Structures are given as structure tokens and as C-alpha cells.
Amino acid sequence: MAEPIPPASTAAPAAPAAATATPPPPPPPPPPPKAPRPQNQALRMLGIPNLPNKLPSRNWMIFWTVSASITAAIIYDRREKRRNIAKWRHAVEHLAAEPITDKLGLEQPRKLTIYLSAPPGDGLRVAQDHYTEYVKPVLAASGLDWEFVQGRREGDVRAVVAERLRKVRRGWENKEEQDPNREPTKDELIEIYRQQRGIKDYEGVRGDVVIGRHTWKEYLRGLHEGWLGPLVAPAKPAPLPPTPAPAAAEGSASTEDKPAEEKKQEEEAPKPKRPPQPKPYNTTSDYPSETLHPLTPQELTPAVPIREPHILGFLNTPTRMVRFFNRRSLADDIGREVAAVCLATHREFQQQTNPDAPSTDSVQYEQAKELEWEEKDWPKKVWKEDEADADKEVTEKIHTKPVVMDPRLAHRMRRFALTPEDEDRVSKIQVPEEEVEGLIKGSLRQAYRWGYDKAFNKKKLVPLEDKDVE
């Protein structure tokens, strides 16, 4: 039996898609490149490319803004500091041109005394740098002479001031210690030479410049010790008798070895690096009971305390930064005080009466309040009186003790201060820009002047005559 044949499909075959689809439109042509921005001819000759048209990123803007602000603050403060120092230099420079009154040159010039010591918690180099930066330029411009009294330990300035005043009092009483076996010092030889040649001492106002609150307290303590204390050092307490040594068990052999061992220990003992500091001849409680010499002058040598801000510690960094960016005001204040010393204008120290205070503290002297704010910057270890950590070479603690003034000396002391006429004269001084400009600006100014002279100020050459030529 034959198989049935399936019926034919009635659907027409589909046409191929590829043959009937339209091609996609071609992409648009790229825009023509922008014409390059014309380059600055000056920058092109220097080999510098075109500067960008956009601002830097946010981080770069923050960096450059902070850096430029700090740099500008430092440069401005340094320039104004030099301007203030130069102003006070010009205020006293006329003193250097004054002629000497003695035509024969046998009169000593005016001589100042500079007292400085190591600030609490630091070394002497800090005080020396402070003096060199702020005090010395004004003194050098005045043409005056000065000498130094430097203290590395607490109490050195006190000892020097007291000994100088005791020497003056011994001269009044003809009790100068004369030791025939002692060789005269250099200062004594100079004094003998001047007396033999008839060189007179300066009879005008001298002056003491005391740098820092710590040095000022030692200076006041030395004044009271020198003028009120005795001329002879107080007797030392008798030493205790030595305890008898136990009897030797080994006989005479051990006793012979002991002297040799003691000598060896004495030779090995370290020698002191500095001479011992003299002990004070009196205390602050002895002032009321001591008498003042009748020849004591009614006006003592004028003095002035100079600011010395000095603070240590990492936590005090903000305070140190504020002072670092404001050194121009410090230079102006110190220059004013030093100029008053050079001009020898002084006044009395003031005092205030507090009726509510006890009778002993009713009078507040200006000397005790001078630079009192500096004590807040001293390290904490200065105020801790620990006998284990105390310096064995210091004979008296002065920095941490309150200032005690005797009325007899307080009324005789004088302080250097400018007069209103001098203040008005100094305010009119104009400092040229060339004295305060920095290295870059000064170099550019010199280069401009050199080029201007070469271009426009040509010197005319005059031919030499025959008779001038050999």
C-alpha cells in the first residue's frame, strides 16, 4: 500500500533581510581643531609655555593661600621691625657726633652697665641673642661706651652689684682691704694708671640697663644688700667636731694606709668649674634694722628694666607664634627704653597706697611691679623648691621670692623715661625705604640704578693734552 503524500505548503518564502535593509548614516565629521592661542612673545623668548586659563584645584588653592599668607606676614613683620629699630637709631645718632668737652682728652666718657643673665630654664645664649637683636643697634648708634655683667647662675648678678656697692662704701670709710701678698687686678691697675695721669672720672648720669624680670629681681636684691648690708661677711658657723674613729683591729698597719687613701681621694675629687658664689651678707628681713650710710646719694644711678619675653613648652606654641609674628612691637618698646637711657632722661619711680591692705603691704612700689607678667612664662620647675633637684652652687633663691623694697632706697631710685618733647621729635622721623628693604628688593634697586646710570648718565671723555702724556 502506498504512503500518503503530504499537502504542499501555501506560505510564500521570506525574503533575505540583509538584501532589503538600508545602510546607517555616516557619522558626522569631527569639529575642526581650535586655533592655538597666540603665545606671549616675552614668555616665548624665555622658554616659558602658555599659562593655563583655569584656576588650580581646591587643594592647591588652599596650599598657596596659606603659604602666601604666612610668608607675607613674616616679611611684613621683619621689615617693620627693622623700621622701628632704625627709627630709634636715628633718634640717638646725634649723640655720637657731639664733641668731647675736655679738649685734652683726660676725661672719661659716659659708660653704661648692661646686666643680663640666663632666663629660668634656659642658658645665657638666649639672653645674649636678645640683647644683640634689639638693644645693641640703638646703643651702637649713640656712640656710648658700656660694660657687661653676665650671670650664668641665679644670684651671680646679685653678688656683683652688692660687691661693687660695698667697695664704694669701703672707700668712704677708708676700709678698703689691702692685702700686700695679693696681686692687683686688671681693673685696679687701670684705676692706678688713671690716677697717676690725672684722668678724671665721668661725673654725669651713667645708667644701668637690666634685661629681663629675673635679672631685675637680682639687681634690686643686690642694691639692698650693697647699701644696707654689712661690709664684712657674716661669720660662718663653727663646724662640728669630728667623731672619733673606732679602734683598728689590724694594728698599726691599717692606720698607715689611711692617709694614703685619703690623699688619693682628694686628688681624684673633681675640681669646681666656676668659683663659688658669695653668700649674701643680709636677708630681706634685716632691712628695717639696718642703717643707711650718711654719704649715700639722694639719687641713685638711674636704671631701666628691658622686656625679655621667653616661654618654653610645646603647649605654648600658639603663644610663641603670636609673639613671632609681632616682633615689631617688641622692637619698638625696647628701642624706646634704650633711647631714654642714651638721652639720660629719667624720673622717679611711682608708688601707690592701698588703704585696704595691711600696714606692711599698704605701699606698692613700681619697682616690684616692673615686668611682673614675665613670671607667668617661666617653667613650672622653677617654682618647685625641691632640695634634691636644687642647684648646690646657688646660695640664695631670688627668682621665686617676692620683691621686698626698703623705703629709703625706693625713694632714691630713678627710672629712665622719654620726655614728651623727645617723643614728639621721634614721631617725626621718617626712615628711608632703602634701610628696611630686603635682599631681593635691594638687589633690584641697585640693578635698576646701575642700568640707568649706564644708559643715561654717560661721562664725557676729555682728550688728554700732549703735555700730560709721557
Side-chain angles (χ1 to χ4, degrees):
M1 182 175 180
E3 298 180 358
I5 299 173
S9 176
T10 59
T20 60
T22 59
K34 296 181 179 180
R37 186 162 55 95
Q39 186 178 8
N40 190 316
Q41 297 297 327
L43 298 179
R44 186 178 64 82
M45 297 299 294
L46 295 175
I48 301 176
N50 286 334
L51 300 178
N53 293 335
K54 60 181 181 179
L55 293 175
S57 63
R58 181 181 65 89
N59 295 340
W60 276 111
M61 288 291 292
I62 295 174
F63 170 76
W64 288 118
T65 302
V66 174
S67 301
S69 301
I70 294 176
T71 304
I74 294 175
I75 293 174
Y76 173 78
D77 181 72
R78 292 183 62 182
R79 186 178 73 248
E80 294 303 316
K81 184 190 73 172
R82 290 195 294 266
R83 189 188 305 276
N84 291 336
I85 294 177
K87 178 183 68 175
W88 293 110
R89 282 206 319 265
H90 292 314
V92 299
E93 63 183 2
H94 67 277
L95 300 176
E98 292 182 357
I100 301 176
T101 57
D102 188 6
K103 297 182 180 181
L104 299 178
L106 298 179
E107 183 179 356
Q108 290 295 312
R110 184 187 176 199
K111 192 172 187 179
L112 307 176
T113 305
I114 312 297
Y115 295 94
L116 55 88
S117 61
D122 214 326
L124 181 61
R125 183 60 181 270
V126 177
Q128 294 174 343
D129 294 342
H130 181 78
Y131 157 80
T132 304
E133 185 175 3
Y134 297 101
V135 181
K136 184 179 178 181
V138 183
L139 288 179
S142 66
L144 300 178
D145 191 11
W146 65 86
E147 61 178 347
F148 278 110
V149 174
Q150 305 185 53
R152 298 182 179 274
R153 300 166 296 180
E154 180 181 0
D156 288 351
V157 174
R158 185 269 312 164
V160 174
V161 174
E163 183 58 32
R164 289 187 174 185
L165 296 179
R166 283 193 292 264
K167 186 177 181 180
V168 173
R169 291 172 56 193
R170 293 192 190 104
W172 292 343
E173 300 181 4
N174 296 326
K175 292 183 179 181
E176 186 69 32
E177 298 179 359
Q178 298 291 341
D179 188 0
N181 299 326
R182 183 180 65 86
E183 296 183 359
T185 61
K186 181 180 179 180
D187 295 339
E188 293 175 352
L189 292 176
I190 294 176
E191 187 66 24
I192 294 174
Y193 177 84
R194 290 173 178 172
Q195 293 178 359
Q196 294 176 353
R197 300 299 188 277
I199 300 176
K200 301 178 182 179
D201 199 2
Y202 183 76
E203 298 180 354
V205 178
R206 292 180 177 270
D208 297 336
V209 180
V210 187
I211 300 177
R213 167 74 175 182
H214 55 288
T215 314
W216 178 249
K217 296 179 80 171
E218 294 188 31
Y219 176 80
L220 295 178
R221 179 70 180 92
L223 283 180
H224 287 76
E225 180 185 346
W227 288 117
L228 300 176
L231 297 178
V232 182
K236 298 181 180 180
L240 298 176
T243 56
E250 297 181 0
S252 60
S254 61
T255 58
E256 295 177 356
D257 297 338
K258 286 183 179 180
E261 294 178 357
E262 293 177 358
K263 291 181 180 180
K264 187 176 181 180
Q265 292 178 358
E266 292 177 358
E267 293 177 356
E268 295 178 355
K271 297 182 180 180
K273 298 181 181 179
R274 309 185 188 95
Q277 187 181 100
K279 294 184 178 181
Y281 286 20
N282 64 352
T283 60
T284 56
S285 59
D286 299 335
Y287 294 168
S289 60
E290 293 174 332
T291 58
L292 191 65
H293 197 279
L295 296 180
T296 304
Q298 293 298 323
E299 293 186 5
L300 301 180
T301 301
V304 62
I306 301 296
R307 294 174 54 188
E308 187 183 0
H310 184 65
I311 188 171
L312 302 174
F314 177 77
L315 298 179
N316 296 321
T317 301
T319 303
R320 300 175 67 180
M321 290 183 61
V322 171
R323 293 179 180 179
F324 176 77
F325 287 111
N326 196 28
R327 291 185 295 178
R328 57 186 180 275
S329 62
L330 177 63
D332 188 47
D333 294 340
I334 295 179
R336 178 179 290 100
E337 301 291 355
V338 179
V341 177
C342 298
L343 297 175
T345 56
H346 54 84
R347 61 170 176 81
E348 296 182 359
F349 277 96
Q350 301 175 359
Q351 62 182 20
Q352 298 178 355
T353 304
N354 187 5
D356 299 334
S359 58
T360 56
D361 301 333
S362 59
V363 180
Q364 297 179 357
Y365 297 99
E366 184 184 1
Q367 295 93 321
K369 300 297 181 181
E370 290 282 3
L371 306 179
E372 191 175 13
W373 57 270
E374 289 188 6
E375 296 185 2
K376 300 178 182 179
D377 298 341
W378 294 353
K380 293 182 180 179
K381 65 179 181 180
V382 177
W383 304 98
K384 296 180 181 179
E385 298 183 1
D386 190 357
E387 296 182 358
D389 299 336
D391 190 356
K392 305 300 181 182
E393 298 179 353
V394 176
T395 57
E396 182 185 8
K397 285 287 186 179
I398 303 175
H399 296 169
T400 57
K401 301 296 179 61
V403 176
V404 179
M405 296 295 300
D406 185 84
R408 294 167 292 180
L409 293 181
H411 296 307
R412 285 177 165 84
M413 293 185 64
R414 298 294 182 268
R415 190 192 193 283
F416 285 109
L418 286 179
T419 60
E421 293 78 10
D422 292 331
E423 289 278 4
D424 184 60
R425 179 178 61 87
V426 174
S427 63
K428 299 178 182 178
I429 296 177
Q430 298 293 335
V431 180
E433 188 66 22
E434 299 181 13
E435 295 188 21
V436 298
E437 61 189 9
L439 177 62
I440 297 177
K441 189 176 180 180
S443 301
L444 294 177
R445 187 189 296 272
Q446 292 179 0
Y448 168 77
R449 289 179 176 176
W450 177 82
Y452 185 87
D453 291 340
K454 289 293 183 181
F456 302 101
N457 296 336
K458 295 183 179 180
K459 296 182 180 180
K460 296 182 179 180
L461 300 178
V462 180
L464 298 176
E465 297 181 2
D466 297 338
K467 60 181 181 180
D468 296 335
V469 180
E470 295 181 358

